[in-house]
Amino acid sequence: MSLIENSILDTKPLNILLADDDKEDRSLFQMALKALPITTNLKTVYDGLQLMKYLSENSEHLPDVLFLDINMPGKNGFECLLEIKESERLKDLPVVMFSTSYPRDMNYERDIINSLLDMGAYDYIRKQDDFLQLKQTISNALAIANSKKSLIK
């Protein structure tokens, strides 16, 4: 059964936290998430400092999945991911990294992705400008995070 099928059968909403400094990207993400047949609660923060404060203040009620932009002010996504994975309370939080950055070359992007995965990210996705592609990308990332989270429990 897929994540979407499980979510339809499960009445408990999926709690998602989005950390992204771009207001338009946050809005598009929210619209794409609402278009999926998944019951969700979305919280957003706009930079790395706000993200880490939010996680600290809500460590007893962590999101099911964190979508973390790589390029943010205050603390970037790499710094936040490292801090999350070094924290005993936060280390099991599923983190999906994403960015609008385009690679200098394929080796560079592959190295970045491998570094993020080695640091503990569940997945890396590139932000999509196309709504349907973004919707599919979010759905795929949620399925990957859900399957990896199930393996850890």
Side-chain angles (χ1 to χ4, degrees), residues 81-96:
L81 179 63
L82 188 59
E83 194 172 328
I84 288 166
K85 294 306 174 179
E86 288 179 344
S87 167
E88 197 59 38
R89 291 182 333 234
L90 304 174
K91 69 180 182 182
D92 294 329
L93 175 63
V95 180
V96 176

Side-chain angles (χ1 to χ4, degrees), residues 27-122:
S27 179
L28 189 60
F29 184 97
Q30 184 174 16
M31 288 188 302
L33 192 60
K34 283 183 180 181
L36 293 174
I38 302 171
T39 305
T40 61
N41 289 324
L42 176 66
K43 300 278 185 196
T44 61
V45 294
Y46 54 82
D47 69 26
L49 295 172
Q50 188 184 32
L51 168 64
M52 297 315 297
K53 180 180 180 193
Y54 177 90
L55 291 175
S56 174
E57 292 173 354
N58 294 282
S59 64
E60 298 300 315
H61 305 285
L62 293 173
D64 296 307
V65 180
L66 165 62
F67 283 84
L68 178 56
D69 186 14
I70 291 176
N71 300 310
M72 293 187 299
K75 281 188 181 184
N76 66 39
F78 286 99
E79 294 167 316
C80 292
L81 179 63
L82 188 59
E83 194 172 328
I84 288 166
K85 294 306 174 179
E86 288 179 344
S87 167
E88 197 59 38
R89 291 182 333 234
L90 304 174
K91 69 180 182 182
D92 294 329
L93 175 63
V95 180
V96 176
M97 304 298 294
F98 69 115
S99 179
T100 54
S101 309
Y102 289 99
R104 296 178 208 168
D105 60 51
M106 291 308 290
N107 291 331
Y108 176 78
E109 183 177 39
R110 186 184 65 240
D111 290 345
I112 294 293
I113 294 168
N114 288 337
S115 292
L116 291 167
L117 296 175
D118 288 345
M119 291 170 66
Y122 275 39

Side-chain angles (χ1 to χ4, degrees), residues 19-30:
D20 192 335
D21 62 313
D22 187 294
K23 185 177 180 177
E24 288 180 22
D25 287 345
R26 288 192 310 265
S27 179
L28 189 60
F29 184 97
Q30 184 174 16

Side-chain angles (χ1 to χ4, degrees), residues 7-21:
S7 295
I8 290 170
L9 297 175
D10 187 5
T11 58
K12 182 180 172 233
L14 189 63
N15 293 307
I16 298 173
L17 178 59
L18 171 64
D20 192 335
D21 62 313

